[in-house]
PDB file of all heavy atoms in Angstrom:
ATOM      1  N   ARG R 320      -9.173 -78.725  12.361  1.00 91.00           N
ATOM      2  CA  ARG R 320      -8.600 -77.517  13.016  1.00 91.00           C
ATOM      3  C   ARG R 320      -9.596 -76.525  13.265  1.00 91.00           C
ATOM      4  O   ARG R 320     -10.802 -76.661  12.828  1.00 91.00           O
ATOM      5  CB  ARG R 320      -7.493 -76.949  12.012  1.00 91.00           C
ATOM      6  CG  ARG R 320      -7.989 -76.661  10.654  1.00 91.00           C
ATOM      7  CD  ARG R 320      -6.921 -76.175   9.708  1.00 91.00           C
ATOM      8  NE  ARG R 320      -7.534 -76.226   8.407  1.00 91.00           N
ATOM      9  CZ  ARG R 320      -8.431 -75.463   7.907  1.00 91.00           C
ATOM     10  NH1 ARG R 320      -8.918 -74.494   8.639  1.00 91.00           N
ATOM     11  NH2 ARG R 320      -8.948 -75.635   6.641  1.00 91.00           N
ATOM     12  N   ARG R 321      -9.205 -75.510  14.085  1.00 93.00           N
ATOM     13  CA  ARG R 321     -10.186 -74.423  14.383  1.00 93.00           C
ATOM     14  C   ARG R 321     -10.756 -73.790  13.106  1.00 93.00           C
ATOM     15  O   ARG R 321      -9.926 -73.412  12.236  1.00 93.00           O
ATOM     16  CB  ARG R 321      -9.371 -73.353  15.249  1.00 93.00           C
ATOM     17  CG  ARG R 321     -10.284 -72.464  15.999  1.00 93.00           C
ATOM     18  CD  ARG R 321      -9.413 -71.527  16.885  1.00 93.00           C
ATOM     19  NE  ARG R 321      -8.620 -70.601  15.975  1.00 93.00           N
ATOM     20  CZ  ARG R 321      -9.010 -69.374  15.655  1.00 93.00           C
ATOM     21  NH1 ARG R 321     -10.133 -68.912  16.096  1.00 93.00           N
ATOM     22  NH2 ARG R 321      -8.229 -68.628  14.902  1.00 93.00           N
ATOM     23  N   ALA R 322     -12.075 -73.619  13.039  1.00 96.00           N
ATOM     24  CA  ALA R 322     -12.666 -73.091  11.882  1.00 96.00           C
ATOM     25  C   ALA R 322     -12.185 -71.622  11.643  1.00 96.00           C
ATOM     26  O   ALA R 322     -12.208 -70.812  12.635  1.00 96.00           O
ATOM     27  CB  ALA R 322     -14.183 -73.139  12.031  1.00 96.00           C
ATOM     28  N   GLU R 323     -11.826 -71.333  10.432  1.00 97.00           N
ATOM     29  CA  GLU R 323     -11.498 -69.924  10.115  1.00 97.00           C
ATOM     30  C   GLU R 323     -12.658 -69.316   9.517  1.00 97.00           C
ATOM     31  O   GLU R 323     -13.159 -69.691   8.436  1.00 97.00           O
ATOM     32  CB  GLU R 323     -10.300 -69.966   9.104  1.00 97.00           C
ATOM     33  CG  GLU R 323      -9.695 -68.618   8.849  1.00 97.00           C
ATOM     34  CD  GLU R 323      -8.857 -68.064   9.989  1.00 97.00           C
ATOM     35  OE1 GLU R 323      -7.843 -68.741  10.363  1.00 97.00           O
ATOM     36  OE2 GLU R 323      -9.251 -66.993  10.550  1.00 97.00           O
ATOM     37  N   ILE R 324     -13.207 -68.335  10.188  1.00 97.00           N
ATOM     38  CA  ILE R 324     -14.434 -67.646   9.807  1.00 97.00           C
ATOM     39  C   ILE R 324     -14.153 -66.227   9.415  1.00 97.00           C
ATOM     40  O   ILE R 324     -13.332 -65.485  10.079  1.00 97.00           O
ATOM     41  CB  ILE R 324     -15.411 -67.660  10.982  1.00 97.00           C
ATOM     42  CG1 ILE R 324     -15.845 -69.118  11.280  1.00 97.00           C
ATOM     43  CG2 ILE R 324     -16.702 -66.795  10.636  1.00 97.00           C
ATOM     44  CD1 ILE R 324     -16.495 -69.304  12.565  1.00 97.00           C
ATOM     45  N   VAL R 325     -14.733 -65.735   8.393  1.00 97.00           N
ATOM     46  CA  VAL R 325     -14.543 -64.338   7.958  1.00 97.00           C
ATOM     47  C   VAL R 325     -15.918 -63.674   7.637  1.00 97.00           C
ATOM     48  O   VAL R 325     -16.853 -64.346   7.323  1.00 97.00           O
ATOM     49  CB  VAL R 325     -13.620 -64.142   6.796  1.00 97.00           C
ATOM     50  CG1 VAL R 325     -12.241 -64.756   7.013  1.00 97.00           C
ATOM     51  CG2 VAL R 325     -14.214 -64.783   5.502  1.00 97.00           C
ATOM     52  N   VAL R 326     -15.922 -62.382   7.821  1.00 97.00           N
ATOM     53  CA  VAL R 326     -17.081 -61.558   7.363  1.00 97.00           C
ATOM     54  C   VAL R 326     -16.654 -60.914   6.079  1.00 97.00           C
ATOM     55  O   VAL R 326     -15.641 -60.196   6.028  1.00 97.00           O
ATOM     56  CB  VAL R 326     -17.488 -60.470   8.419  1.00 97.00           C
ATOM     57  CG1 VAL R 326     -18.638 -59.663   7.940  1.00 97.00           C
ATOM     58  CG2 VAL R 326     -17.802 -61.195   9.739  1.00 97.00           C
ATOM     59  N   LEU R 327     -17.422 -61.135   5.007  1.00 97.00           N
ATOM     60  CA  LEU R 327     -17.124 -60.510   3.701  1.00 97.00           C
ATOM     61  C   LEU R 327     -17.942 -59.283   3.473  1.00 97.00           C
ATOM     62  O   LEU R 327     -19.206 -59.356   3.420  1.00 97.00           O
ATOM     63  CB  LEU R 327     -17.321 -61.549   2.567  1.00 97.00           C
ATOM     64  CG  LEU R 327     -17.162 -61.116   1.150  1.00 97.00           C
ATOM     65  CD1 LEU R 327     -15.771 -60.657   0.827  1.00 97.00           C
ATOM     66  CD2 LEU R 327     -17.611 -62.164   0.143  1.00 97.00           C
ATOM     67  N   THR R 328     -17.270 -58.137   3.393  1.00 95.00           N
ATOM     68  CA  THR R 328     -17.949 -56.877   3.221  1.00 95.00           C
ATOM     69  C   THR R 328     -17.728 -56.271   1.789  1.00 95.00           C
ATOM     70  O   THR R 328     -16.633 -56.519   1.257  1.00 95.00           O
ATOM     71  CB  THR R 328     -17.560 -55.847   4.270  1.00 95.00           C
ATOM     72  OG1 THR R 328     -18.181 -54.594   3.975  1.00 95.00           O
ATOM     73  CG2 THR R 328     -16.037 -55.648   4.289  1.00 95.00           C
ATOM     74  N   PRO R 329     -18.640 -55.527   1.239  1.00 92.00           N
ATOM     75  CA  PRO R 329     -18.419 -54.853   0.013  1.00 92.00           C
ATOM     76  C   PRO R 329     -17.355 -53.667   0.224  1.00 92.00           C
ATOM     77  O   PRO R 329     -16.854 -53.131  -0.745  1.00 92.00           O
ATOM     78  CB  PRO R 329     -19.673 -54.262  -0.471  1.00 92.00           C
ATOM     79  CG  PRO R 329     -20.749 -54.959   0.383  1.00 92.00           C
ATOM     80  CD  PRO R 329     -20.056 -55.413   1.661  1.00 92.00           C
ATOM     81  N   GLY R 330     -17.161 -53.274   1.453  1.00 86.00           N
ATOM     82  CA  GLY R 330     -16.154 -52.196   1.733  1.00 86.00           C
ATOM     83  C   GLY R 330     -16.785 -51.043   2.499  1.00 86.00           C
ATOM     84  O   GLY R 330     -17.932 -51.006   2.825  1.00 86.00           O
ATOM     85  N   ILE R 331     -15.949 -50.028   2.708  1.00 81.00           N
ATOM     86  CA  ILE R 331     -16.304 -48.996   3.598  1.00 81.00           C
ATOM     87  C   ILE R 331     -17.399 -48.091   3.083  1.00 81.00           C
ATOM     88  O   ILE R 331     -18.022 -47.278   3.868  1.00 81.00           O
ATOM     89  CB  ILE R 331     -15.132 -48.053   3.994  1.00 81.00           C
ATOM     90  CG1 ILE R 331     -14.500 -47.354   2.762  1.00 81.00           C
ATOM     91  CG2 ILE R 331     -14.071 -48.800   4.767  1.00 81.00           C
ATOM     92  CD1 ILE R 331     -13.538 -46.268   3.213  1.00 81.00           C
ATOM     93  N   TYR R 332     -17.695 -48.100   1.817  1.00 81.00           N
ATOM     94  CA  TYR R 332     -18.769 -47.238   1.282  1.00 81.00           C
ATOM     95  C   TYR R 332     -20.134 -47.882   1.348  1.00 81.00           C
ATOM     96  O   TYR R 332     -21.079 -47.339   0.943  1.00 81.00           O
ATOM     97  CB  TYR R 332     -18.383 -46.834  -0.154  1.00 81.00           C
ATOM     98  CG  TYR R 332     -17.078 -46.028  -0.202  1.00 81.00           C
ATOM     99  CD1 TYR R 332     -15.967 -46.509  -0.746  1.00 81.00           C
ATOM    100  CD2 TYR R 332     -17.020 -44.853   0.522  1.00 81.00           C
ATOM    101  CE1 TYR R 332     -14.736 -45.784  -0.701  1.00 81.00           C
ATOM    102  CE2 TYR R 332     -15.857 -44.143   0.651  1.00 81.00           C
ATOM    103  CZ  TYR R 332     -14.742 -44.615   0.017  1.00 81.00           C
ATOM    104  OH  TYR R 332     -13.568 -43.923   0.105  1.00 81.00           O
ATOM    105  N   ASN R 333     -20.199 -49.158   1.742  1.00 85.00           N
ATOM    106  CA  ASN R 333     -21.472 -49.795   1.900  1.00 85.00           C
ATOM    107  C   ASN R 333     -22.206 -49.217   3.106  1.00 85.00           C
ATOM    108  O   ASN R 333     -21.635 -48.927   4.125  1.00 85.00           O
ATOM    109  CB  ASN R 333     -21.293 -51.326   2.084  1.00 85.00           C
ATOM    110  CG  ASN R 333     -22.578 -52.056   2.117  1.00 85.00           C
ATOM    111  OD1 ASN R 333     -23.148 -52.219   3.210  1.00 85.00           O
ATOM    112  ND2 ASN R 333     -23.034 -52.469   0.939  1.00 85.00           N
ATOM    113  N   SER R 334     -23.533 -49.069   2.930  1.00 85.00           N
ATOM    114  CA  SER R 334     -24.334 -48.385   4.022  1.00 85.00           C
ATOM    115  C   SER R 334     -24.237 -49.164   5.319  1.00 85.00           C
ATOM    116  O   SER R 334     -24.387 -48.561   6.373  1.00 85.00           O
ATOM    117  CB  SER R 334     -25.759 -48.257   3.589  1.00 85.00           C
ATOM    118  OG  SER R 334     -26.363 -49.509   3.372  1.00 85.00           O
ATOM    119  N   ALA R 335     -23.992 -50.472   5.241  1.00 89.00           N
ATOM    120  CA  ALA R 335     -23.928 -51.238   6.493  1.00 89.00           C
ATOM    121  C   ALA R 335     -22.535 -51.592   6.906  1.00 89.00           C
ATOM    122  O   ALA R 335     -22.310 -52.523   7.711  1.00 89.00           O
ATOM    123  CB  ALA R 335     -24.768 -52.473   6.306  1.00 89.00           C
ATOM    124  N   TYR R 336     -21.555 -50.896   6.420  1.00 88.00           N
ATOM    125  CA  TYR R 336     -20.172 -51.164   6.753  1.00 88.00           C
ATOM    126  C   TYR R 336     -19.919 -51.167   8.259  1.00 88.00           C
ATOM    127  O   TYR R 336     -19.261 -52.054   8.796  1.00 88.00           O
ATOM    128  CB  TYR R 336     -19.171 -50.251   6.114  1.00 88.00           C
ATOM    129  CG  TYR R 336     -17.771 -50.471   6.507  1.00 88.00           C
ATOM    130  CD1 TYR R 336     -17.105 -51.607   5.903  1.00 88.00           C
ATOM    131  CD2 TYR R 336     -17.089 -49.738   7.364  1.00 88.00           C
ATOM    132  CE1 TYR R 336     -15.805 -51.922   6.242  1.00 88.00           C
ATOM    133  CE2 TYR R 336     -15.786 -50.141   7.837  1.00 88.00           C
ATOM    134  CZ  TYR R 336     -15.158 -51.181   7.246  1.00 88.00           C
ATOM    135  OH  TYR R 336     -13.907 -51.500   7.560  1.00 88.00           O
ATOM    136  N   PHE R 337     -20.523 -50.194   8.945  1.00 88.00           N
ATOM    137  CA  PHE R 337     -20.402 -50.173  10.387  1.00 88.00           C
ATOM    138  C   PHE R 337     -20.759 -51.528  11.026  1.00 88.00           C
ATOM    139  O   PHE R 337     -20.041 -52.012  11.901  1.00 88.00           O
ATOM    140  CB  PHE R 337     -21.337 -49.139  10.989  1.00 88.00           C
ATOM    141  CG  PHE R 337     -21.466 -49.234  12.500  1.00 88.00           C
ATOM    142  CD1 PHE R 337     -20.476 -48.582  13.333  1.00 88.00           C
ATOM    143  CD2 PHE R 337     -22.540 -49.861  13.012  1.00 88.00           C
ATOM    144  CE1 PHE R 337     -20.571 -48.768  14.679  1.00 88.00           C
ATOM    145  CE2 PHE R 337     -22.642 -49.977  14.469  1.00 88.00           C
ATOM    146  CZ  PHE R 337     -21.666 -49.422  15.212  1.00 88.00           C
ATOM    147  N   GLU R 338     -21.864 -52.101  10.540  1.00 93.00           N
ATOM    148  CA  GLU R 338     -22.322 -53.434  11.108  1.00 93.00           C
ATOM    149  C   GLU R 338     -21.377 -54.521  10.727  1.00 93.00           C
ATOM    150  O   GLU R 338     -21.084 -55.370  11.533  1.00 93.00           O
ATOM    151  CB  GLU R 338     -23.750 -53.648  10.537  1.00 93.00           C
ATOM    152  CG  GLU R 338     -24.228 -55.060  10.985  1.00 93.00           C
ATOM    153  CD  GLU R 338     -25.733 -55.066  10.949  1.00 93.00           C
ATOM    154  OE1 GLU R 338     -26.339 -54.234  11.528  1.00 93.00           O
ATOM    155  OE2 GLU R 338     -26.250 -56.064  10.318  1.00 93.00           O
ATOM    156  N   HIS R 339     -20.810 -54.493   9.517  1.00 93.00           N
ATOM    157  CA  HIS R 339     -19.885 -55.612   9.097  1.00 93.00           C
ATOM    158  C   HIS R 339     -18.669 -55.571  10.046  1.00 93.00           C
ATOM    159  O   HIS R 339     -18.281 -56.624  10.576  1.00 93.00           O
ATOM    160  CB  HIS R 339     -19.500 -55.412   7.679  1.00 93.00           C
ATOM    161  CG  HIS R 339     -20.581 -55.274   6.724  1.00 93.00           C
ATOM    162  ND1 HIS R 339     -20.506 -54.726   5.472  1.00 93.00           N
ATOM    163  CD2 HIS R 339     -21.930 -55.632   6.832  1.00 93.00           C
ATOM    164  CE1 HIS R 339     -21.683 -54.744   4.820  1.00 93.00           C
ATOM    165  NE2 HIS R 339     -22.558 -55.245   5.688  1.00 93.00           N
ATOM    166  N   ALA R 340     -18.196 -54.377  10.279  1.00 90.00           N
ATOM    167  CA  ALA R 340     -17.018 -54.212  11.138  1.00 90.00           C
ATOM    168  C   ALA R 340     -17.362 -54.546  12.578  1.00 90.00           C
ATOM    169  O   ALA R 340     -16.587 -55.291  13.259  1.00 90.00           O
ATOM    170  CB  ALA R 340     -16.474 -52.841  11.100  1.00 90.00           C
ATOM    171  N   TYR R 341     -18.521 -54.225  13.003  1.00 91.00           N
ATOM    172  CA  TYR R 341     -19.014 -54.481  14.360  1.00 91.00           C
ATOM    173  C   TYR R 341     -19.060 -55.988  14.633  1.00 91.00           C
ATOM    174  O   TYR R 341     -18.600 -56.485  15.600  1.00 91.00           O
ATOM    175  CB  TYR R 341     -20.351 -53.816  14.527  1.00 91.00           C
ATOM    176  CG  TYR R 341     -20.998 -54.074  15.890  1.00 91.00           C
ATOM    177  CD1 TYR R 341     -20.718 -53.257  16.968  1.00 91.00           C
ATOM    178  CD2 TYR R 341     -21.737 -55.187  16.129  1.00 91.00           C
ATOM    179  CE1 TYR R 341     -21.240 -53.456  18.167  1.00 91.00           C
ATOM    180  CE2 TYR R 341     -22.328 -55.413  17.436  1.00 91.00           C
ATOM    181  CZ  TYR R 341     -22.044 -54.558  18.435  1.00 91.00           C
ATOM    182  OH  TYR R 341     -22.570 -54.780  19.692  1.00 91.00           O
ATOM    183  N   LEU R 342     -19.759 -56.694  13.689  1.00 95.00           N
ATOM    184  CA  LEU R 342     -19.898 -58.160  13.899  1.00 95.00           C
ATOM    185  C   LEU R 342     -18.565 -58.855  13.861  1.00 95.00           C
ATOM    186  O   LEU R 342     -18.273 -59.834  14.616  1.00 95.00           O
ATOM    187  CB  LEU R 342     -20.856 -58.689  12.919  1.00 95.00           C
ATOM    188  CG  LEU R 342     -22.316 -58.232  13.096  1.00 95.00           C
ATOM    189  CD1 LEU R 342     -23.174 -58.685  11.915  1.00 95.00           C
ATOM    190  CD2 LEU R 342     -22.875 -58.726  14.396  1.00 95.00           C
ATOM    191  N   ALA R 343     -17.700 -58.453  12.880  1.00 93.00           N
ATOM    192  CA  ALA R 343     -16.381 -59.127  12.819  1.00 93.00           C
ATOM    193  C   ALA R 343     -15.613 -58.897  14.148  1.00 93.00           C
ATOM    194  O   ALA R 343     -15.002 -59.819  14.720  1.00 93.00           O
ATOM    195  CB  ALA R 343     -15.590 -58.544  11.688  1.00 93.00           C
ATOM    196  N   ARG R 344     -15.658 -57.697  14.687  1.00 88.00           N
ATOM    197  CA  ARG R 344     -14.984 -57.370  15.889  1.00 88.00           C
ATOM    198  C   ARG R 344     -15.586 -58.150  17.087  1.00 88.00           C
ATOM    199  O   ARG R 344     -14.885 -58.722  17.881  1.00 88.00           O
ATOM    200  CB  ARG R 344     -15.090 -55.862  16.171  1.00 88.00           C
ATOM    201  CG  ARG R 344     -14.249 -55.362  17.292  1.00 88.00           C
ATOM    202  CD  ARG R 344     -14.250 -53.773  17.311  1.00 88.00           C
ATOM    203  NE  ARG R 344     -15.538 -53.343  17.700  1.00 88.00           N
ATOM    204  CZ  ARG R 344     -16.169 -52.306  17.154  1.00 88.00           C
ATOM    205  NH1 ARG R 344     -15.704 -51.742  16.081  1.00 88.00           N
ATOM    206  NH2 ARG R 344     -17.394 -51.872  17.556  1.00 88.00           N
ATOM    207  N   GLN R 345     -16.897 -58.200  17.120  1.00 91.00           N
ATOM    208  CA  GLN R 345     -17.551 -58.889  18.253  1.00 91.00           C
ATOM    209  C   GLN R 345     -17.234 -60.412  18.180  1.00 91.00           C
ATOM    210  O   GLN R 345     -17.152 -61.082  19.212  1.00 91.00           O
ATOM    211  CB  GLN R 345     -19.059 -58.657  18.244  1.00 91.00           C
ATOM    212  CG  GLN R 345     -19.474 -57.249  18.451  1.00 91.00           C
ATOM    213  CD  GLN R 345     -19.122 -56.797  19.973  1.00 91.00           C
ATOM    214  OE1 GLN R 345     -19.254 -57.581  20.856  1.00 91.00           O
ATOM    215  NE2 GLN R 345     -18.659 -55.579  20.085  1.00 91.00           N
ATOM    216  N   MET R 346     -17.173 -60.907  16.982  1.00 94.00           N
ATOM    217  CA  MET R 346     -16.880 -62.417  16.822  1.00 94.00           C
ATOM    218  C   MET R 346     -15.387 -62.725  16.844  1.00 94.00           C
ATOM    219  O   MET R 346     -14.990 -63.895  16.834  1.00 94.00           O
ATOM    220  CB  MET R 346     -17.530 -62.895  15.586  1.00 94.00           C
ATOM    221  CG  MET R 346     -19.012 -62.889  15.613  1.00 94.00           C
ATOM    222  SD  MET R 346     -19.782 -63.786  14.267  1.00 94.00           S
ATOM    223  CE  MET R 346     -19.270 -62.860  12.838  1.00 94.00           C
ATOM    224  N   GLY R 347     -14.540 -61.672  16.781  1.00 89.00           N
ATOM    225  CA  GLY R 347     -13.080 -61.886  16.796  1.00 89.00           C
ATOM    226  C   GLY R 347     -12.609 -62.550  15.481  1.00 89.00           C
ATOM    227  O   GLY R 347     -11.732 -63.351  15.500  1.00 89.00           O
ATOM    228  N   CYS R 348     -13.269 -62.163  14.350  1.00 92.00           N
ATOM    229  CA  CYS R 348     -12.788 -62.788  13.146  1.00 92.00           C
ATOM    230  C   CYS R 348     -12.484 -61.731  12.127  1.00 92.00           C
ATOM    231  O   CYS R 348     -12.685 -60.559  12.326  1.00 92.00           O
ATOM    232  CB  CYS R 348     -13.821 -63.801  12.584  1.00 92.00           C
ATOM    233  SG  CYS R 348     -15.388 -63.073  12.143  1.00 92.00           S
ATOM    234  N   GLU R 349     -11.774 -62.128  11.023  1.00 92.00           N
ATOM    235  CA  GLU R 349     -11.336 -61.131  10.013  1.00 92.00           C
ATOM    236  C   GLU R 349     -12.473 -60.551   9.230  1.00 92.00           C
ATOM    237  O   GLU R 349     -13.425 -61.219   8.869  1.00 92.00           O
ATOM    238  CB  GLU R 349     -10.380 -61.753   9.076  1.00 92.00           C
ATOM    239  CG  GLU R 349      -9.101 -62.216   9.637  1.00 92.00           C
ATOM    240  CD  GLU R 349      -8.152 -61.197   9.918  1.00 92.00           C
ATOM    241  OE1 GLU R 349      -8.408 -60.011   9.692  1.00 92.00           O
ATOM    242  OE2 GLU R 349      -7.055 -61.484  10.431  1.00 92.00           O
ATOM    243  N   LEU R 350     -12.409 -59.197   8.984  1.00 93.00           N
ATOM    244  CA  LEU R 350     -13.325 -58.563   8.106  1.00 93.00           C
ATOM    245  C   LEU R 350     -12.588 -58.473   6.770  1.00 93.00           C
ATOM    246  O   LEU R 350     -11.632 -57.763   6.628  1.00 93.00           O
ATOM    247  CB  LEU R 350     -13.636 -57.152   8.662  1.00 93.00           C
ATOM    248  CG  LEU R 350     -14.546 -56.300   7.813  1.00 93.00           C
ATOM    249  CD1 LEU R 350     -15.937 -56.848   7.689  1.00 93.00           C
ATOM    250  CD2 LEU R 350     -14.608 -54.859   8.322  1.00 93.00           C
ATOM    251  N   VAL R 351     -13.133 -59.181   5.794  1.00 94.00           N
ATOM    252  CA  VAL R 351     -12.399 -59.225   4.510  1.00 94.00           C
ATOM    253  C   VAL R 351     -13.201 -58.584   3.414  1.00 94.00           C
ATOM    254  O   VAL R 351     -14.395 -58.456   3.433  1.00 94.00           O
ATOM    255  CB  VAL R 351     -12.011 -60.607   4.092  1.00 94.00           C
ATOM    256  CG1 VAL R 351     -11.286 -61.370   5.209  1.00 94.00           C
ATOM    257  CG2 VAL R 351     -13.259 -61.413   3.714  1.00 94.00           C
ATOM    258  N   GLU R 352     -12.479 -58.121   2.358  1.00 93.00           N
ATOM    259  CA  GLU R 352     -13.038 -57.673   1.154  1.00 93.00           C
ATOM    260  C   GLU R 352     -12.732 -58.758   0.041  1.00 93.00           C
ATOM    261  O   GLU R 352     -11.838 -59.576   0.236  1.00 93.00           O
ATOM    262  CB  GLU R 352     -12.571 -56.348   0.660  1.00 93.00           C
ATOM    263  CG  GLU R 352     -12.998 -55.274   1.660  1.00 93.00           C
ATOM    264  CD  GLU R 352     -12.457 -53.849   1.259  1.00 93.00           C
ATOM    265  OE1 GLU R 352     -12.133 -53.717   0.130  1.00 93.00           O
ATOM    266  OE2 GLU R 352     -12.447 -53.022   2.206  1.00 93.00           O
ATOM    267  N   GLY R 353     -13.452 -58.752  -1.053  1.00 94.00           N
ATOM    268  CA  GLY R 353     -13.249 -59.728  -2.103  1.00 94.00           C
ATOM    269  C   GLY R 353     -11.761 -59.777  -2.455  1.00 94.00           C
ATOM    270  O   GLY R 353     -11.261 -60.913  -2.671  1.00 94.00           O
ATOM    271  N   ARG R 354     -11.090 -58.652  -2.550  1.00 91.00           N
ATOM    272  CA  ARG R 354      -9.674 -58.679  -2.955  1.00 91.00           C
ATOM    273  C   ARG R 354      -8.725 -59.301  -1.988  1.00 91.00           C
ATOM    274  O   ARG R 354      -7.578 -59.568  -2.324  1.00 91.00           O
ATOM    275  CB  ARG R 354      -9.187 -57.263  -3.362  1.00 91.00           C
ATOM    276  CG  ARG R 354      -9.362 -56.308  -2.188  1.00 91.00           C
ATOM    277  CD  ARG R 354      -9.406 -54.863  -2.786  1.00 91.00           C
ATOM    278  NE  ARG R 354      -9.951 -53.925  -1.764  1.00 91.00           N
ATOM    279  CZ  ARG R 354      -9.159 -53.004  -1.129  1.00 91.00           C
ATOM    280  NH1 ARG R 354      -7.931 -52.861  -1.469  1.00 91.00           N
ATOM    281  NH2 ARG R 354      -9.721 -52.206  -0.275  1.00 91.00           N
ATOM    282  N   ASP R 355      -9.199 -59.596  -0.742  1.00 94.00           N
ATOM    283  CA  ASP R 355      -8.373 -60.279   0.199  1.00 94.00           C
ATOM    284  C   ASP R 355      -8.378 -61.768   0.083  1.00 94.00           C
ATOM    285  O   ASP R 355      -7.662 -62.531   0.673  1.00 94.00           O
ATOM    286  CB  ASP R 355      -8.783 -59.960   1.622  1.00 94.00           C
ATOM    287  CG  ASP R 355      -8.678 -58.467   1.941  1.00 94.00           C
ATOM    288  OD1 ASP R 355      -7.721 -57.872   1.498  1.00 94.00           O
ATOM    289  OD2 ASP R 355      -9.595 -57.944   2.543  1.00 94.00           O
ATOM    290  N   LEU R 356      -9.374 -62.317  -0.745  1.00 96.00           N
ATOM    291  CA  LEU R 356      -9.586 -63.698  -0.889  1.00 96.00           C
ATOM    292  C   LEU R 356      -9.217 -64.185  -2.273  1.00 96.00           C
ATOM    293  O   LEU R 356      -9.236 -63.450  -3.247  1.00 96.00           O
ATOM    294  CB  LEU R 356     -11.047 -64.142  -0.646  1.00 96.00           C
ATOM    295  CG  LEU R 356     -11.694 -63.685   0.714  1.00 96.00           C
ATOM    296  CD1 LEU R 356     -13.110 -64.081   0.783  1.00 96.00           C
ATOM    297  CD2 LEU R 356     -10.894 -64.338   1.860  1.00 96.00           C
ATOM    298  N   ALA R 357      -8.849 -65.499  -2.366  1.00 95.00           N
ATOM    299  CA  ALA R 357      -8.627 -66.058  -3.716  1.00 95.00           C
ATOM    300  C   ALA R 357      -8.999 -67.530  -3.600  1.00 95.00           C
ATOM    301  O   ALA R 357      -8.819 -68.229  -2.587  1.00 95.00           O
ATOM    302  CB  ALA R 357      -7.112 -65.893  -4.105  1.00 95.00           C
ATOM    303  N   VAL R 358      -9.575 -68.037  -4.674  1.00 96.00           N
ATOM    304  CA  VAL R 358      -9.817 -69.515  -4.793  1.00 96.00           C
ATOM    305  C   VAL R 358      -8.734 -70.044  -5.666  1.00 96.00           C
ATOM    306  O   VAL R 358      -8.477 -69.546  -6.803  1.00 96.00           O
ATOM    307  CB  VAL R 358     -11.198 -69.735  -5.486  1.00 96.00           C
ATOM    308  CG1 VAL R 358     -11.444 -71.211  -5.671  1.00 96.00           C
ATOM    309  CG2 VAL R 358     -12.287 -69.163  -4.621  1.00 96.00           C
TER     310      VAL R 358
END
Side-chain angles (χ1 to χ4, degrees):
Chain R
R320 53 183 165 73
R321 196 175 68 94
E323 191 70 63
I324 295 164
V325 300
V326 177
L327 175 64
T328 174
I331 60 168
Y332 298 113
N333 186 271
S334 60
Y336 179 77
F337 167 83
E338 175 157 309
H339 307 160
Y341 178 90
L342 291 173
R344 191 170 69 225
Q345 294 294 322
M346 294 193 290
C348 62
E349 295 286 358
L350 178 65
V351 305
E352 294 179 20
R354 57 202 164 112
D355 299 319
L356 301 179
V358 176

